[in-house]
Amino acid sequence: AQSVTQLGSHVSVSEGALVLLRCNYSSSVPPYLFWYVQYPNQGLQLLLKYTSAATLVKGINGFEAEFKKSETSFHLTKPSAHMSDAAEYFCAVSMNRDDKIIFGKGTRLHILP
Amino acid sequence: DADVTQTPRNRITKTGKRIMLECSQTKGHDRMYWYRQDPGLGLRLIYYSFDVKDINKGEISDGYSVSRQAQAKFSLSLESAIPNQTALYFCATSDAGQANYGYTFGSGTRLTVV
């Protein structure tokens, strides 16, 4: 069965610093991969998705993620953190377009002034 | 109006009570899902429905039941609530033809069982 592992339940970065949130997946077939963001007291919002097209995926709010098959990774990055990026981020995987999405346990991103 | 609406937003109920959480959507999506979110555990799938006549159990369906009253409505029931069902519950939808585009989520229902 497919799964995702997010490394680090909490990550703190200084404002203006690089954001790197790590996600590794397990799947027997090429997966679909997603990053979602959850701001306080809100539902989840799709940041970006990988669907077997370009390996470098650009999303909203300046985030991007790179699919690396050899490392089974889909890490999320942003060159310069803003205070407004403070939220919880979820990596998720789906086996194919008709399957359910399985979520990781989440990484809470803290931005230090 | 939100694309996916969950009611109520917050609810406190007593152990043993029956409670229903409701979800309605205006996206026209075929598929609907119920997840619960617990700190440190992420989102776990309770039930999902690919159309009105199709209901499937997720990974943690025990103690829950669902009803798909129409394409746009998907309700989650706790027949006899217990304290460890205290959690944040999310409804989500997806388009059958574009499942790889991800889900649209509601704002959640925070349920507390005392």
Side-chain angles (χ1 to χ4, degrees):
Chain A
Q2 71 274 29
S3 65
V4 289
T5 301
Q6 292 184 241
L7 302 179
S9 58
H10 292 265
V11 170
S12 295
V13 301
S14 298
E15 190 174 20
L18 172 71
V19 175
L20 171 60
L21 304 183
R22 300 176 187 273
C23 173
N24 289 91
Y25 70 90
S26 172
S27 175
S28 58
V29 298
Y32 294 98
L33 292 161
F34 309 85
W35 275 100
Y36 283 83
V37 59
Q38 184 182 28
Y39 297 106
N41 300 313
Q42 295 187 24
L44 277 72
Q45 178 183 358
L46 183 65
L47 262 183
L48 49 79
K49 59 184 181 291
Y50 166 75
T51 57
S52 75
T55 57
L56 182 61
V57 181
K58 295 188 182 297
I60 61 173
N61 301 336
F63 284 93
E64 63 182 34
E66 186 172 8
F67 173 71
K68 291 187 177 181
K69 183 178 179 181
S70 61
E71 299 177 7
T72 61
S73 68
F74 191 58
H75 301 330
L76 181 71
T77 61
K78 182 174 181 178
S80 177
H82 294 170
M83 295 299 292
S84 60
D85 294 328
E88 189 156 21
Y89 292 79
F90 293 93
C91 184
V93 64
S94 175
M95 290 277 287
N96 56 55
R97 64 186 297 164
D98 293 325
D99 205 355
K100 306 170 296 300
I101 294 179
I102 304 299
F103 289 85
K105 295 183 177 182
T107 297
R108 186 166 296 278
L109 177 63
H110 305 271
I111 310 298
L112 307 174
Chain B
D1 288 342
D3 293 326
V4 181
T5 302
Q6 293 184 234
T7 56
R9 288 297 308 273
N10 292 281
R11 180 73 180 268
I12 300 174
T13 192
K14 293 183 178 181
T15 298
K17 293 291 187 182
R18 184 180 188 275
I19 183 169
M20 178 182 288
L21 309 183
E22 299 189 3
C23 177
S24 62
Q25 53 118 344
T26 58
K27 298 285 288 185
H29 287 168
D30 300 308
R31 301 180 175 189
M32 299 186 74
Y33 310 81
W34 276 105
Y35 285 87
R36 65 176 279 177
Q37 182 182 14
D38 299 276
L41 297 180
L43 278 77
R44 292 179 291 167
L45 183 62
I46 306 172
Y47 270 96
Y48 62 103
S49 169
F50 282 179
D51 64 43
V52 175
K53 296 181 180 180
D54 178 76
I55 303 289
N56 303 279
K57 292 183 177 180
E59 59 181 302
I60 55 163
S61 59
D62 286 349
Y64 301 95
S65 63
V66 292
S67 173
R68 185 82 183 266
Q69 302 95 323
Q71 186 202 35
K73 295 183 182 295
F74 192 37
S75 301
L76 176 71
S77 293
L78 288 67
E79 297 301 326
S80 179
I82 56 177
N84 75 3
Q85 291 177 313
T86 293
L88 185 55
Y89 290 84
F90 284 105
C91 176
T93 72
S94 68
D95 187 327
Q98 298 184 352
N100 57 323
Y101 278 65
Y103 294 173
T104 300
F105 280 86
S107 297
T109 293
R110 186 168 297 280
L111 177 66
T112 303
V113 183
V114 297

